Amino acid sequence: MIDARLDGELLAATRAGEAEAFGTFYRRRRALVLAFLGRRCGSAEVAADLLGESFATALGATLDSDRDLPAEPVAWLLTIARNKLLDSLRRGRVEREARVRLAIAPLELADDEFERIADLIDNTDVASELTQILPVDQLEALTARVLDERDYPTIARELECSEAVVRKRVSRALKTLREAIGGQR
């Protein structure tokens, strides 16, 4: 049976002790996070490691009753994933701190599973998931700048506005995403 609860309800149920609720949240959002990470790191194996670390961090934060649950779980989860990716790039390796703290074993994947991960990465549209969170003008600017990694002058020409307007839209979109996670990593 498909669980029709919203992501926020699943996280609240997890905090209340319903372990399967987080499993549902994971199954629902893993393709999105995997696609988001895979397009940035270029390796299915690294993306899978970062996926595990991202969800372990999300689980740890969900179980921490001193923290508020996120108002926008998708934005919160993508922010965690982005931070894990940036941390791994700075360190030159994927951190395993959250998985170790929660005693979660690393993923052991066979070659065919890496192929399925690569397919998921190629076939998941991160931008369409963000349409649930951001206004259209902010989504266009953020997608062009962050997801497509285009420069501000190019985006301004495409959107037929000034660079300052594009920068403001990106800034507002990032602020919206930060507020969705309460300013916490």
Side-chain angles (χ1 to χ4, degrees), residues 139-151:
L139 177 64
E140 286 177 336
L142 184 71
T143 299
R145 180 70 183 138
V146 177
L147 299 181
D148 299 338
E149 299 177 352
R150 293 198 305 266
D151 61 22

Side-chain angles (χ1 to χ4, degrees), residues 114-161:
F114 286 118
E115 290 172 21
R116 286 199 322 255
I117 289 170
D119 287 342
L120 265 175
I121 291 168
D122 292 339
N123 295 315
T124 301
D125 185 1
V126 174
S128 70
E129 296 284 338
L130 293 176
T131 60
Q132 301 171 24
I133 300 165
L134 298 172
V136 173
D137 63 334
Q138 291 177 21
L139 177 64
E140 286 177 336
L142 184 71
T143 299
R145 180 70 183 138
V146 177
L147 299 181
D148 299 338
E149 299 177 352
R150 293 198 305 266
D151 61 22
Y152 285 108
T154 302
I155 300 166
R157 281 191 305 276
E158 290 172 1
L159 297 179
E160 299 177 351
C161 62

